[in-house]
Amino acid sequence: MIGIVVVSHGLLSEHLVSAASLILGEAKGVKAVTFLARESLEDLRRKTNEATNEFSAEGCLILTDIMGGSATNVSIEIMKSHDNVFVVTGVNLPMLLEAINSRENTDLKTLASQVSNSGIRSIINLKEFFEKRAAKRV
């Protein structure tokens, strides 16, 4: 099974994993890595390596919070040194749910693409959505 590691600034990763567990139940092979203010970049690198190493045989999808941030930069280092690691940034709850639900039925490259598309589809300006919906009814 493809492993999923969520890496973020602060406790966002833990909260996303917790929310996913609330919705889907406890999922095996899902880890949260936090980067707290008192930690060094080396601490983050060590924790992220430890979390991803567990999935070296099956492959690992790393979901990070923001492009250009420390969590993503460290994850890119890991991706560059491992063929079976993909990184998708801009993580949100729908992306994590998609990753958990789809990882057993697809390969890692396809999963990364599906998760990225899921994140994009999940961002909806509801005011516009309802206005367009109302206009179609007329």
Side-chain angles (χ1 to χ4, degrees):
M1 175 174 22
I2 296 169
I4 301 167
V5 176
V6 184
V7 186
S8 73
H9 294 82
L11 300 175
L12 177 63
S13 58
E14 288 182 356
H15 292 298
L16 285 170
V17 170
S18 177
S21 295
L22 179 69
I23 295 167
L24 299 176
E26 193 70 32
K28 292 184 181 183
V30 179
K31 297 196 173 284
V33 175
T34 59
F35 184 42
L36 305 175
R38 67 181 182 277
E39 295 179 308
S40 70
L41 201 54
E42 193 51 45
D43 291 331
L44 176 61
R45 189 174 285 113
R46 178 188 46 75
K47 292 192 309 184
T48 306
N49 269 308
E50 287 173 2
T52 58
N53 281 342
E54 185 177 325
F55 309 115
S56 59
E58 303 88 3
C60 183
L61 179 63
I62 303 175
L63 303 175
T64 66
D65 55 1
I66 187 168
M67 181 68 176
S70 299
T72 301
N73 293 340
V74 165
S75 297
I76 289 169
E77 291 173 13
I78 294 168
M79 179 182 71
K80 286 182 175 179
S81 64
H82 296 86
D83 289 335
N84 61 346
V85 173
F86 279 69
V87 177
V88 178
T89 192
V91 66
N92 61 31
L93 185 56
M95 291 169 69
L96 180 55
L97 296 173
E98 177 74 25
I100 293 168
N101 281 329
S102 299
R103 66 183 164 160
E104 291 186 32
N105 302 318
T106 191
D107 62 278
L108 184 55
K109 183 176 181 178
T110 304
L111 180 63
S113 180
Q114 287 175 326
V115 166
S116 177
N117 289 331
S118 175
I120 293 165
R121 284 190 316 272
S122 70
I123 300 170
I124 301 166
N125 177 332
L126 290 176
K127 183 74 166 177
E128 287 179 1
F129 174 81
F130 288 117
E131 286 172 351
K132 287 177 184 178
R133 192 177 194 190
K136 286 182 182 179
R137 290 184 186 162
V138 176

